[in-house]
């Protein structure tokens, strides 16, 4: 029986094929593969290519020098079910999803398409400046590989429903076809940003969401020092499931921060019956966004002792005279900010700087954002002089973060 698991060597060869194709527009020949990897004979190349073909990554037509055809997602489900599916495989699946499915959309842009590697996430990080590091990886895996108790706070804006950042829906968004993303029509010539529709989540999606946030909670406990806070965005439709899963994993729920923000979510009349029911909204127009506030249990008897030992356990005040408050008003990112970082879920610097600042009570430590997107949390951390680490699995957003970082961190933020 064929194992659909991929070996490290096969992953490297596959990555080489993709990178070569991206950079030259041509498929690497057997000789080029042989030379690149230093194989003594072309038989070794042939045997790896045969294995990749059996596992559904490529298709070859025998006898031609440059005959490999990428097979995109073929056999994906079977590979997924493989008992031997390991970390390398999962990364490779992500990689193939990102690099191959939307390949036609990406071809115009040269990219840094180095594949994610399995070990030492911090060692593979890109430095965005003296304080901020960005890792290209799956966040759950990277948090498993990170050193225990190595960060002092987590501030993050995860994929709320997961499905919106799955390869399929995300590729549709990039192609302008929507999928789970609602692409609003232009209003008075003004283009509005797409919003994901979370009402479409079914029981299996919700089950996956609960498991995902439970794992995230467990990993937050792993990487945070005692007393470290997790501040995590959600959506009113999904926050109950996400937040209770994180709490079940062992993080202490300490409250919620309400961001007052007007969006285009909800408020519509019944579809197709707008005139028949002019006084009805199916759902309220959303004017707020919940951020869960969690803390890893203290290791010391009191907050004072925890602050002394770890520098954590409390929230930093905006000023000596003012406590941190749990209602913050902040409109969506616009103008220069959105132009610099056109991520579909960009969070504004104004909000992130308030949250990131509060997350380290002594103004010292490392803030982690496992769903870094355009790197906005890292930029906010650098703007206020904090160290930070971001994790992002999408190569396009890694590139965006590299480009947008200086602009975002230098943005003057309105009071
Ligand atoms: C809601 S967006 C965050 C946007 C960010 N707040 C910003 O301002 O740009 C979530 C991000 O997490 C990334 N992502 C989703 N699942 C991931 C995973 N398992 N590991 C790493 N990144 C992931 C997505 O590619 C997306 O960029």
């Amino acid at each position: 029986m064929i194992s659909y698991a991929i070996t490290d060597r096969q992953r490297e060869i596959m990555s080489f094929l993709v990178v070569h194709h991206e950079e030259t527009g041509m498929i690497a020949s057997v000789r080029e593969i042989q030379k690149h990897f230093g194989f003594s004979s072309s038989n070794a190349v042939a045997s790896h290519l045969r294995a990749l073909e059996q596992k559904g990554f490529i298709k070859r037509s025998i006898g031609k020098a440059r005959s490999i055809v990428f097979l995109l997602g073929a056999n994906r489900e079977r590979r997924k079910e493989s008992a031997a599916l390991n970390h390398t495989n999962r990364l490779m699946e992500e990689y193939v999803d990102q690099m191959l499915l939307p390949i036609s959309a990406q071809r115009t842009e040269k990219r840094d398409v180095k594949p994610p590697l399995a070990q030492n996430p911090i060692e593979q990080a890109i430095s965005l400046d003296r304080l901020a590091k960005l890792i290209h990886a799956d966040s759950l895996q990277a948090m498993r590989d990170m050193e225990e108790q190595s960060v002092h706070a987590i501030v993050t804006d995860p994929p709320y429903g997961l499905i919106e950042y799955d390869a399929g829906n995300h590729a549709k968004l990039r192609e302008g076809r929507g999928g789970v993303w609602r692409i609003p029509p232009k209003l008075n010539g003004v283009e509005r940003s797409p919003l994901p529709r979370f009402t479409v989540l079914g029981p299996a999606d919700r089950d996956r969401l609960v498991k995902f946030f439970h794992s995230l909670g467990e990993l937050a406990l792993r990487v945070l020092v005692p007393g470290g806070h997790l501040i995590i965005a959600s959506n009113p439709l999904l926050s109950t499931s996400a937040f209770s899963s994180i709490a079940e994993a062992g993080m202490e729920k300490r409250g919620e921060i309400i961001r007052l923000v007007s969006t285009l979510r909800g408020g519509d009349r019944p579809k197709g019956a707008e005139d028949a029911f002019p006084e009805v909204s199916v759902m309220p127009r959303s004017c707020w966004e919940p951020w869960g506030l969690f803390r890893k249990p203290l290791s010391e008897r009191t907050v004072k002792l925890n602050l002394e030992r770890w520098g954590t356990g409390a929230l930093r005040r905006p000023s000596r005279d003012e406590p941190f408050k749990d209602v913050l008003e902040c409109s969506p990112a616009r103008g220069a900010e959105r132009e610099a970082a056109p991520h579909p879920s960009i969070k504004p610097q104004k909000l992130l700087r308030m949250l990131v600042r509060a997350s380290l009570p002594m103004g010292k430590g490392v803030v982690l954002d496992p769903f870094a997107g355009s790197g906005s949390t890292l930029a906010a951390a650098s703007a206020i002089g904090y160290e930070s680490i971001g994790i992002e699995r999408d190569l396009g957003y890694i590139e965006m973060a590299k480009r947008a970082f200086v602009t975002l961190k230098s943005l003057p933020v309105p009071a």
Side-chain angles (χ1 to χ4, degrees):
M1 199 180 129
I2 300 171
S3 160
Y4 287 88
I6 191 169
T7 64
D8 278 349
R9 189 47 120 193
Q10 288 157 9
R11 176 179 55 77
E12 284 164 13
I13 293 175
M14 190 64 201
S15 304
F16 174 69
L17 290 173
V18 176
V19 172
H20 190 282
H21 185 252
E22 277 286 301
E23 286 178 350
T24 65
M26 288 172 72
I27 298 298
S29 66
V30 168
R31 188 160 305 172
E32 281 162 339
I33 303 170
Q34 184 183 346
K35 189 166 165 225
H36 181 88
F37 289 94
F39 290 127
S40 53
S41 81
S42 58
N43 289 346
V45 180
S47 116
H48 284 303
L49 293 179
R50 201 163 38 244
L52 282 169
E53 187 166 30
Q54 282 174 338
K55 291 170 190 180
F57 281 106
I58 60 170
K59 177 108 188 91
R60 297 173 303 158
S61 37
I62 305 299
K64 294 192 188 150
R66 296 182 189 273
S67 60
I68 297 158
V69 177
F70 295 119
L71 256 194
L72 314 185
N75 287 345
R76 188 162 192 274
E77 288 315 310
R78 277 194 279 164
R79 285 200 301 274
K80 267 189 166 170
E81 282 160 22
S82 167
L85 201 65
N86 55 19
H87 170 50
T88 303
N89 267 64
R90 282 197 302 275
L91 284 178
M92 197 66 222
E93 295 291 349
E94 299 283 355
Y95 184 61
V96 166
D97 279 348
Q98 289 169 35
M99 296 314 302
L100 302 185
L101 283 181
I103 203 160
S104 54
Q106 292 176 3
R107 203 169 280 150
T108 47
E109 206 184 308
K110 278 222 164 165
R111 289 160 164 270
D112 172 7
V113 284
K114 287 193 186 66
L117 301 174
Q119 299 303 320
N120 301 329
I122 302 290
E123 281 166 26
Q124 296 156 27
I126 308 156
S127 290
L128 296 176
D129 70 359
R130 191 175 52 81
L131 297 168
K133 292 189 167 67
L134 182 58
I135 301 166
H136 173 219
D138 176 87
S139 55
L140 297 191
Q141 188 56 50
M143 286 168 81
R144 258 174 225 127
D145 294 340
M146 278 169 70
E147 243 178 75
E148 281 179 47
Q149 304 199 159
S150 56
V151 302
H152 302 81
I154 301 176
V155 178
T156 197
D157 169 29
Y160 300 162
L162 303 187
I163 54 170
E164 72 275 26
Y165 280 100
D166 279 351
N169 276 310
H170 201 212
K172 282 189 188 150
L173 172 69
R174 283 184 164 143
E175 288 159 18
R177 286 195 287 125
V180 75
W181 292 83
R182 176 174 159 250
I183 303 189
K186 278 191 188 167
L187 199 65
N188 302 328
V190 178
E191 211 163 289
R192 296 170 301 160
S193 313
L195 285 173
R197 280 174 294 202
F198 296 120
T199 41
V200 301
L201 263 74
D205 300 320
R206 287 189 170 267
D207 191 42
R208 179 175 160 222
L209 187 145
V210 163
K211 290 190 181 123
F212 179 86
F213 283 100
H214 193 275
S215 301
L216 186 66
E218 286 175 340
L219 290 165
L221 282 172
R222 181 178 186 281
V223 298
L224 280 168
V225 300
H229 278 89
L230 161 66
I231 306 179
I232 181 164
S234 190
N235 163 280
L237 277 177
L238 304 173
S239 58
T240 307
S241 306
F243 294 169
S244 64
S245 306
I246 294 171
E248 290 244 316
M251 291 291 291
E252 282 172 5
K253 182 136 191 245
R254 304 281 297 168
E256 285 186 24
I257 299 162
I258 302 305
R259 171 188 176 201
L260 298 178
V261 56
S262 293
T263 67
L264 292 172
R265 238 182 263 278
D268 297 329
R269 298 189 173 89
K271 204 169 176 188
E274 290 83 353
D275 294 337
F277 298 100
E279 299 194 9
V280 172
S281 279
V282 180
M283 290 182 70
R285 167 64 52 93
S286 179
C287 297
W288 65 289
E289 177 179 88
W291 285 70
L293 182 65
F294 297 86
R295 191 175 72 177
K296 174 168 169 173
L298 307 180
S299 61
E300 310 304 302
R301 259 184 316 106
T302 62
V303 171
K304 169 182 176 286
L305 293 173
N306 210 88
L307 280 168
E308 284 168 0
R309 174 152 182 212
W310 301 101
T312 53
L315 297 164
R316 190 171 179 193
R317 291 170 167 247
S319 72
R320 282 206 167 194
D321 305 330
E322 199 189 351
F324 178 73
K325 300 192 187 107
D326 62 8
V327 178
L328 304 171
E329 195 163 354
C330 186
S331 38
R334 293 201 181 97
E337 195 163 358
R338 199 172 271 281
E339 263 166 44
H343 189 291
S345 308
I346 185 173
K347 292 284 186 232
Q349 284 297 296
K350 178 180 169 186
L351 174 75
L352 291 173
R353 290 186 198 172
M354 290 192 276
L355 296 175
V356 169
R357 188 180 191 285
S359 72
L360 297 182
M362 314 297 284
K364 280 189 287 197
V366 179
V367 180
L368 172 71
D369 181 353
F371 305 98
S374 62
S376 52
T377 309
L378 278 58
S382 281
I384 53 179
Y386 286 4
E387 275 181 70
S388 64
I389 300 169
I391 309 171
E392 170 59 51
R393 71 176 179 193
D394 186 294
L395 281 161
Y397 296 141
I398 295 269
E399 289 302 319
M400 185 187 286
K402 288 202 264 180
R403 283 194 300 270
F405 187 75
V406 173
T407 310
L408 291 182
K409 89 166 173 183
S410 327
L411 276 178
V413 160

